[in-house]
Amino acid sequence: MELELEVVEEESSSLTSDDFSTSDDSESSDDSLEPEERWSHESAVVDGRLYLFGGWNGAEYFNRNEIWIMNLRVGRSRRKWRRRMARGRLVPPPCEGARCIVIDKKIYSYGGEKANGSYLGLVYRLDPKKLEWIEVATPVGGKKPAPRAFCCLCAIGSRMIMFGGKSERIPSGQLQPEATQDAEGWNNEIYEFKFEEENEKGMWLESKFSGTKPKPLQLAAMATIDRHQAFLHGKDIDNKSHSVVLELLNKCWISIDFEVQPSPRWGHTISPLAKEGLEERSLCLLIGGSNVSGAESFYVLDIDDCKAHQMAVAHDFKNVFCHTSHCVHNVDETTDVLVYDEGLKYFHLGIA
């Protein structure tokens, strides 16, 4: 595998009315506006548009009805932020550490920690076309995860898979069998969320996997790598790295031993690199994060071959932490990697 890497600056110019269409008329008219720097926020790409919301900047928690949108289907020089206000009777409260996924072109958000230190445990849905939030109804009673933040979330088909996170102390009788919780509140529970009635209702299901379950991981990351698998990477309280595949067909954990193991880290992201011609290769981009020694490097992970290709990055990409990232494939067969923390950063990745 050959890698070519080029860091590029964000450029912007005005979009036409055809570049953006939504039923909400409450967009910002000031073209100079862009999202404030933030961490532990949420972002998702739906139909070629980037949606960003929530998180905090160290002092302020951002309202999650304020949605920042960028059209990624136009050239990089024409990409521009637009601010929209979402509607909804039950807008999720401001928080940090919530996680979101995309299923059937809808954005689903779960968890988070509010300014008062309490944790959230509800599932919300944002309709990107209507810009409307709803709370996904769950049955009263039944087994469900304790409210938490900073969990790992991914979508496999129409299912939402949740691993770990940080929460209040979970009584031993309520913790999943074979699950543990460390002294700082991180656990290694795993749940599935099954959607019903056009995804407006759903229920939590406990997932039982064979194999060696990873220890509770701190600020870990997880991403879907194909229709039946997810890849999980993070560090435990003892600063040991764990790289694991969740196989949903056979319900098992598969430990991955890379030839060169990425250093232990937290606050990183994992973005899948699947594209035309590469569907059979489980490639992921491991971006940033931090460790006791400071900022961490980037890797392209070839999970099938158990190889980790370290990438040299310049600019300020070495200091991304508690960010979000997305891989956007271009018609010239290259990939733009978008990272958001103190602002939107691009780098240009070519894979052969």
Side-chain angles (χ1 to χ4, degrees):
M1 178 169 57
E2 296 179 359
L3 302 176
E4 296 178 358
L5 177 66
E6 175 191 2
V7 178
V8 295
E9 299 286 348
E10 177 187 2
E11 299 174 349
S12 63
S13 62
S14 60
L15 297 176
T16 67
S17 59
D18 292 334
D19 290 325
F20 255 88
S21 61
T22 178
S23 58
D24 188 0
D25 295 325
S26 58
E27 68 174 273
S28 168
S29 60
D30 187 346
D31 288 342
S32 66
L33 284 180
E34 60 182 40
E36 296 181 55
E37 64 180 24
R38 63 189 69 197
W39 298 269
S40 300
H41 52 280
E42 300 168 82
S43 66
V45 175
V46 182
D47 278 342
R49 291 180 171 88
L50 173 64
Y51 296 80
L52 182 143
F53 49 92
W56 75 311
N57 62 5
E60 176 186 3
Y61 288 77
F62 297 103
N63 291 322
R64 287 197 275 175
N65 64 338
E66 179 187 68
I67 313 293
W68 292 90
I69 310 173
M70 176 179 285
N71 190 347
L72 303 175
R73 293 182 295 185
V74 298
R76 190 182 298 118
S77 64
R78 299 182 62 209
R79 294 174 186 172
K80 190 171 192 64
W81 287 110
R82 294 292 177 94
R83 176 177 176 267
R84 304 270 184 160
M85 299 305 294
R87 300 184 295 266
R89 187 169 53 88
L90 293 171
V91 176
C95 70
E96 63 169 321
R99 299 292 186 251
C100 71
I101 58 167
V102 176
I103 295 178
D104 295 334
K105 299 184 179 182
K106 303 291 194 303
I107 301 172
Y108 294 88
S109 175
Y110 172 73
E113 182 178 1
K114 297 197 293 184
N116 63 6
S118 62
Y119 294 98
L120 300 172
L122 299 176
V123 178
Y124 295 91
R125 187 186 77 184
L126 175 65
D127 186 325
K129 288 187 176 180
K130 299 178 181 179
L131 281 182
E132 182 177 22
W133 283 106
I134 68 166
E135 179 187 324
V136 179
T138 55
V140 177
K143 183 69 173 180
K144 61 182 65 175
R148 65 193 63 201
F150 306 106
C151 63
C152 295
L153 209 63
C154 74
I156 298 184
S158 60
R159 290 175 291 180
M160 183 170 73
I161 311 298
M162 187 273 290
F163 173 84
K166 186 178 183 181
S167 69
E168 299 288 350
R169 177 58 54 184
I170 303 174
S172 58
Q174 298 178 24
L175 199 65
Q176 282 185 342
E178 301 181 2
T180 58
Q181 187 174 29
D182 68 23
E184 298 180 11
W186 300 92
N187 68 72
N188 60 350
E189 293 185 312
I190 182 165
Y191 280 85
E192 294 182 41
F193 192 83
K194 180 182 178 182
F195 290 97
E196 301 173 346
E197 297 187 23
E198 297 184 350
N199 292 2
E200 293 188 1
K201 294 184 178 181
M203 62 185 300
W204 288 103
L205 303 172
E206 292 188 82
S207 294
K208 297 181 180 180
F209 285 71
S210 62
T212 303
K213 176 183 286 191
K215 292 182 179 181
L217 304 179
Q218 302 180 335
L219 279 175
M222 182 168 67
T224 303
I225 54 176
D226 63 27
R227 290 177 296 175
H228 307 293
Q229 294 182 324
F231 175 67
L232 170 69
H233 179 82
K235 63 171 285 294
D236 61 30
I237 196 171
D238 297 319
N239 207 40
K240 179 182 178 181
S241 279
H242 296 258
S243 298
V244 184
V245 168
L246 285 74
E247 169 60 67
L248 265 70
L249 280 180
N250 299 317
K251 292 284 187 177
C252 63
W253 301 93
I254 304 173
S255 295
I256 305 296
D257 294 321
F258 291 106
E259 292 181 1
V260 178
Q261 182 70 20
S263 53
R265 66 187 66 203
W266 64 83
H268 52 284
T269 55
I270 299 171
S271 293
L273 281 168
K275 56 187 294 188
E276 185 176 357
L278 293 174
E279 291 90 343
E280 302 304 319
R281 297 173 65 180
S282 297
L283 298 177
C284 292
L285 190 59
L286 174 62
I287 300 176
S290 185
N291 199 341
V292 292
S293 60
E296 291 300 325
S297 51
F298 291 23
Y299 289 84
V300 172
L301 304 178
D302 190 330
I303 297 168
D304 292 335
D305 292 339
C306 297
K307 293 182 178 180
H309 304 267
Q310 187 170 353
M311 297 164 44
V313 294
H315 206 47
D316 53 351
F317 285 93
K318 294 181 178 179
N319 298 310
V320 293
F321 178 74
C322 286
H323 53 282
T324 54
S325 65
H326 302 278
C327 295
V328 179
H329 303 303
N330 304 314
V331 294
D332 62 358
E333 299 185 356
T334 60
T335 298
D336 281 343
V337 181
L338 281 63
V339 176
Y340 197 92
D341 59 353
E342 297 176 351
L344 186 64
K345 308 180 181 79
Y346 289 104
F347 62 85
H348 192 61
L349 181 66
I351 301 179

